[in-house]
Each structure stands twice: as structure tokens, then as C-alpha cells.
Amino acid sequence: AYSSKYTLPSFLDARILGRAQAALNHLKVDGTRVRYVGPGDDDSQAATIRTNAPAPPDCPLYYFEVEIVSSGQKGYIGIGFQTEDVLLSRLPGWDPHSYGYHGDDGNAFQGSGAGRSFGPTYGTGDVMGVLLNRAERTISFFKNGQSLGVAFRNVTEDRLFPCVGLRTKDEEVRLNLGGDKHSAAGAKAGASRAPFVADFQAMQDSFRARVLSDINSTPLPLQSSSATPLLPQLLYDHLMHHRYWRTAAAIKQDLLQPSASSKGQTTSCKGSVATAQQQLDADMAEVLTPVEGSQGRADHHQQQHQSPSSKKAASRHGQESRVGKAGKDGLLPSTSGPLPSTVQRLLDLGVPQDIAARQATYELVQSGQVEEARATLDACYGPELLQGQPSLDFRLHVARFCQVLKEGGPHAMEQALAYGRDHLTPQRGSRASCSGRGGSDTAGKLNADEQDLLGDALSLLAYDNPESAPAGHLLGQAQRDALAEAVNCAVLAHQGAPPTSPLERLSRQTLATIQALRERNHPQALMLDAQAIVFGS
């Protein structure tokens, strides 16, 4: 029932010595089963036993059940939680830091021998449940699977042990701690894998839904720093970053440029978010779904699947300005000569110049045409782009070396060796010496990761079938996809734009924050699947 890095309660601990020993002598304990064998004449002969470990701090909800095997003479049975410093010669709830629900009168006790009316009595055959909710700081009880509600609030103790107390002859109970009979502790305790009578999964789902409801009800800022609606602006920047220019243009027209009828009106944050989500869903369904499964495709592949709003936006924004240094005319910084045919093909489709250049380069790297990709970068952005990105320059050389081996042929080995001598071997001493661009050794030597990459690449030469080598992943599509994305980020950085979109940075910050909270056993964070929340189930 639980997943925890801490020791889970798995049996009733009769090994406690000292002043507790006298009380434990009144009990016969067998794993998770306990029977009262003392005289049972008065309250001084009560006996409580707790589990071997407290409820784990990384379980926001901790639940256990107590089957009443026999009510004995009078059914003075108490169940609940207590800290380890509470006397075991007292029933649960009678002392500070102890919480108990008693079967003979249905009263709830908290740090006092005077209880208050709480729920029904219970006895032989009943299965009682106890739920500790660390997030809401409550303890609730269940009878035969049905909730009796919250008995205790403001429960702040960190180390609370499941416990049960008995008082009269022949009282006997058996605990279900959610244990596993295949574990060492579970086998020792005789634990079973019987499910709880109550629906613990439903409790967890309900609590998780409350946490998400609280998150979703948190008000968001109305506008971005550029005085545009926040969510549409995040979507627009993200789509432009990944070259989905047609969808981005539709969002800009419909959500970021106020219509004549809406000028001077204030749109609520909630309305803006809802409208943006509806528009995004429609555009994504029309434009992006047909190519799902491939990273970073440009919208030009979807010309036959455009929504009406996308077509209208495309016509108006066909020469939309690119991000970065290019300026409002959308021109590339290096256009003195003819553009590569791969870029011109996209321009002929109405794709803005910068998007066309980035998309053409992306596709070339993806398909292993590294030299063509380098030529496209030089033609569109000038040689200074790769000169300013020596690590990327090196990775492109390694990718070309690997592609030569992957393509095979009778002269593949000789061609790879020649390329390695010309472009890789000098890298051991200097980046500049192998770049083919001249200059001094100002970029420094390879770092440790690059040395490892170079070693892995050169190791492929030792295999007749390089793809079966330990470093064969360097020849795979995933490696080329990652490099293509790195090139896209480098182009954006060269233009003065961030290498990642604001939406990506926000999602990373969200994941990091939730993970930090989980490591500190924050109960609400422990209930959340951060990846599912940020990226969808």
C-alpha cells in the first residue's frame, strides 16, 4: 500500500524494555495480532502496544486497519496514534501526544482521560480504520469501510506510531498495516496481502484532487511583462522557438492583438486563459496532430491541414518578424549571396526567413547531412555563429564522422579516417586548429565530456558493424535529434534570444520546485506526479 524510503510499520513491537515492560506483560503478541491476558481489574492494568516504526514522513496519507477479533469482557479497546514517549500503561488518548477512539463508548480522547462523543461503539467482527493526514494535520476513523469523519485536528507531531490499547480479559485484535508477506519484516510479522476494507486508493485520489483544485484556483497574473495576456504570450513564444510559425501567427492575431471591439476593455485573467486554451486546442488539432511523434517540425508540412484562422493568420503574417537581432523586416544577418536551396524552398512556401533557416538546418542535422547543415548556418548567419559556439562546432564534426561510418560502403573506413585526421585529431590540442576557420587557440582544449565523446566516436573504428558497438548510440536517430535541437538553441542564442522558451523554463522551474519540496517530505508535493502535471498524463 505504501512506497517509502523509511522503515514502514510492519508488526507490533513487544521488545520495548524499561517501565513499559510491566504493561506489555499483560499482552500476548504475535506479529500484528495481540490479545489481553492480564487481570483487567482496573485502569491501572491497561496496556497499549505500538508498531515497530512510526508512520513514514514521506507518506502524506497513512492508513491502517484494526480487526476486532474479540471484545473480551467489556470491550475497553482503544485505537489511534501516539508518540514513542507516551506511557504504554495507559489507553490511547489518555496522555499528551496520544490520540485514541474507544470502542466501549465511541468517545474520542486527546491528551485527557475525559473523552468527547465522536462516533458509534465497535466490537467483535468490526474492522476499524485510522487515517493520518499529514497535509491537513488530521486523524480520521472508519468503521467497516465507511468514514466516520475527522476526530482530531491540528495534529502536529512528527513521529506518530500506530497503536492499540486493551484493558479487559480476552480482548483481541489484529492489525492490517498494508504489509507485504514477501518482505523480511512482513514475513516475521505474519503480514498478509489482504486489501483494506476501506478504499484507500479513493482516499488518495480524493486528496490529490483537493491539492490540484487548490493549485488550479490560484490566481495568475493578468498580463506578461510586455503587457500582453500571459498564457497566450507564453504559447506564442514557445511555438516560435520551435518553429511552429503558422500556429504562433494564429495565436498572435486572435489572442495577442486586441480587436476593435475589445480595445479599451479589460479581460479577466480567467477568461484569457480559457480563450487561449480553446484556441490552442483547435489550432493544435488542425495543425500539429498530423505529424505527432516527431520533434521540431515546421508548420509548413501541414499546409493541407490548416484551420481557417491559421490560413488567415498565415496570409497576414507570412513575412512575420523573426525573434532575435533580425529586426522587424525578418531578414537574416547574412544574405549577401544566394540562400541554400533548402531554405529557399521554405521561403517559397511563405515561411519567414529565420524560421526557414532554422527549420532547414534542423532537418539537415536530423537526416545526418551535417556538412550541408554547416553550409546553411554559414550562409544564413555567417561563420561567426559556429566560431562562437566551439562545443557545438565540435559536436557537428563528431556527428559527421559518425555519419560516414554509418553510411558504410567499401571506402567508409578510409573516408572516416581521413575525416578524423582532418577534423577530429587536432581537436585534442586546439578547437581552432580543426575548425577550418583559422585563428589562434583561444577556445581552449576539450572538456572532460567532449574528450569522452571523442573517445567513443573513435572507438567505432574498431568494429566491423559500428552500430553494434558499445558507443553505437552515436549513430542513432536520437543522437541526431538532440544535436538538431542544440543547433536550434545555438542559433537563438547567437541572435540574443534565450536558448529555451519561457514556457520551458517555467516548466523546469516547476519540476525543480516540486522535487525540492518532495525531498523535504512536503505532503502535498508528495502526492503530485510532477511530470504528469507539467506535460500531461
Side-chain angles (χ1 to χ4, degrees):
Y2 303 102
S3 175
S4 173
K5 61 184 178 183
Y6 298 92
T7 299
L8 289 168
S10 57
F11 60 89
L12 294 168
D13 194 354
R15 305 168 300 173
I16 303 173
L17 302 177
R19 60 179 181 171
Q21 191 61 50
L24 293 177
N25 287 337
H26 297 325
L27 303 175
K28 181 179 180 181
V29 182
D30 181 15
T32 57
R33 189 167 183 150
V34 58
R35 181 163 63 93
Y36 186 87
V37 294
D41 296 328
D42 54 50
D43 288 345
S44 67
Q45 295 168 342
T48 292
I49 187 168
R50 61 177 181 257
T51 56
N52 61 303
D58 59 352
C59 291
L61 301 183
Y62 182 81
Y63 178 79
F64 70 97
E65 290 184 336
V66 182
E67 177 189 356
I68 312 302
V69 178
S70 173
S71 295
Q73 284 187 347
K74 297 183 178 180
Y76 292 171
I77 300 172
I79 59 176
F81 284 96
Q82 66 180 32
T83 59
E84 57 191 330
D85 57 346
V86 174
L87 291 174
L88 297 182
S89 58
R90 308 269 287 170
L91 286 182
W94 283 358
D95 290 329
H97 309 299
S98 179
Y99 305 87
Y101 171 34
H102 293 194
D104 61 305
D105 55 13
N107 284 351
F109 295 78
Q110 179 181 357
S112 171
R116 57 179 174 81
S117 179
F118 169 67
T121 61
Y122 56 86
T124 302
D126 288 325
V127 177
M128 307 305 297
V130 191
L131 174 67
L132 172 63
N133 184 326
R134 292 189 181 276
E136 299 171 352
R137 298 183 177 181
T138 61
I139 295 176
S140 305
F141 291 92
F142 294 73
K143 182 177 181 180
N144 299 322
Q146 300 301 310
S147 174
L148 301 178
V150 175
F152 306 106
R153 301 184 186 276
N154 300 317
V155 179
T156 59
E157 291 86 355
D158 290 330
R159 288 172 57 82
L160 285 170
F161 291 73
C163 64
V164 60
L166 308 176
R167 159 71 172 74
T168 63
K169 285 185 178 180
D170 296 326
E171 294 168 347
E172 185 174 353
V173 300
R174 177 169 50 225
L175 273 66
N176 182 352
L177 299 167
D180 185 349
K181 66 183 180 181
H182 298 296
S183 67
K188 177 180 178 180
S192 69
R193 299 195 69 177
F196 291 131
V197 173
D199 191 343
F200 182 53
Q201 184 62 54
M203 300 180 212
Q204 293 178 310
D205 292 343
S206 176
F207 174 63
R208 187 177 293 106
R210 294 198 298 275
V211 173
L212 290 174
S213 177
D214 288 343
I215 292 173
N216 291 332
S217 64
T218 302
L220 296 175
L222 176 64
Q223 293 183 324
S224 68
S225 58
S226 58
T228 56
L230 178 61
L231 182 55
Q233 187 65 55
L234 286 171
L235 294 172
Y236 173 80
D237 291 342
H238 183 73
L239 291 166
M240 287 296 286
H241 179 96
H242 289 287
R243 306 170 309 284
Y244 291 110
W245 70 278
R246 292 190 188 277
T247 308
I251 287 178
K252 183 174 183 179
Q253 173 181 286
D254 296 341
L255 300 176
L256 295 178
Q257 293 179 345
S259 63
S261 61
S262 65
K263 286 183 179 179
Q265 298 180 3
T266 300
T267 305
S268 68
C269 177
K270 184 175 181 181
S272 295
V273 171
T275 304
Q277 188 60 58
Q278 292 171 3
Q279 182 64 41
L280 177 66
D281 289 345
D283 283 339
M284 293 294 252
E286 290 292 331
V287 180
L288 300 182
T289 300
V291 292
E292 184 177 358
S294 175
Q295 276 194 328
R297 284 78 52 189
D299 290 88
H300 72 271
H301 291 299
Q302 275 58 253
Q303 290 194 97
Q304 301 304 317
H305 304 279
Q306 296 174 36
S307 65
S309 62
S310 293
K311 293 180 179 179
K312 181 178 179 182
S315 174
R316 179 175 297 185
H317 298 283
Q319 298 299 322
E320 183 175 6
S321 298
R322 68 185 179 88
V323 296
K325 295 180 180 178
K328 295 183 179 180
D329 58 3
L331 298 177
L332 296 168
S334 178
T335 55
S336 58
L339 290 171
S341 59
T342 51
V343 177
Q344 190 60 53
R345 174 178 58 85
L346 298 179
L347 292 176
D348 293 341
L349 295 173
V351 181
Q353 282 195 4
D354 172 65
I355 301 292
R358 285 196 284 133
Q359 181 63 26
T361 306
Y362 192 100
E363 293 176 351
L364 288 169
V365 175
Q366 268 193 321
S367 62
Q369 301 177 71
V370 178
E371 292 304 295
E372 293 83 350
R374 295 175 68 93
T376 300
L377 290 174
D378 280 356
C380 296
Y381 301 101
E384 61 271 12
L385 189 152
L386 288 178
Q387 287 176 349
Q389 298 277 348
S391 182
L392 179 63
D393 186 39
F394 167 70
R395 290 176 62 186
L396 288 168
H397 280 302
V398 172
R400 175 55 185 161
F401 173 83
C402 293
Q403 189 64 27
V404 172
L405 289 175
K406 179 180 176 63
E407 291 170 356
H411 306 294
M413 182 67 71
E414 292 81 358
Q415 292 171 349
L417 286 171
Y419 188 87
R421 281 193 299 268
D422 293 341
H423 298 284
L424 292 182
T425 303
Q427 288 276 14
R428 294 186 181 274
S430 166
R431 297 181 194 272
S433 61
C434 77
S435 66
R437 306 175 193 275
S440 61
D441 185 12
T442 58
K445 297 183 179 180
L446 300 183
N447 61 36
D449 290 339
E450 292 165 347
Q451 288 281 10
D452 289 343
L453 177 60
L454 178 59
D456 288 344
L458 295 177
S459 72
L460 298 174
L461 294 168
Y463 293 84
D464 293 332
N465 181 12
E467 294 186 68
S468 66
H473 65 278
L474 295 179
L475 307 177
Q477 187 61 50
Q479 191 78 7
R480 295 193 295 275
D481 290 346
L483 182 57
E485 189 58 44
V487 170
N488 183 62
C489 292
V491 170
L492 291 170
H494 178 68
Q495 296 172 325
T500 56
S501 73
L503 188 60
E504 288 174 293
R505 296 196 298 277
L506 183 61
S507 68
R508 291 180 185 181
Q509 181 64 36
T510 300
L511 291 173
T513 299
I514 293 177
Q515 183 58 35
L517 290 172
R518 290 173 66 92
E519 291 172 358
R520 290 163 176 77
N521 296 326
H522 188 284
Q524 283 90 341
L526 288 166
M527 291 299 293
L528 300 177
D529 183 340
Q531 293 284 343
I533 291 173
V534 175
F535 300 111
S537 300

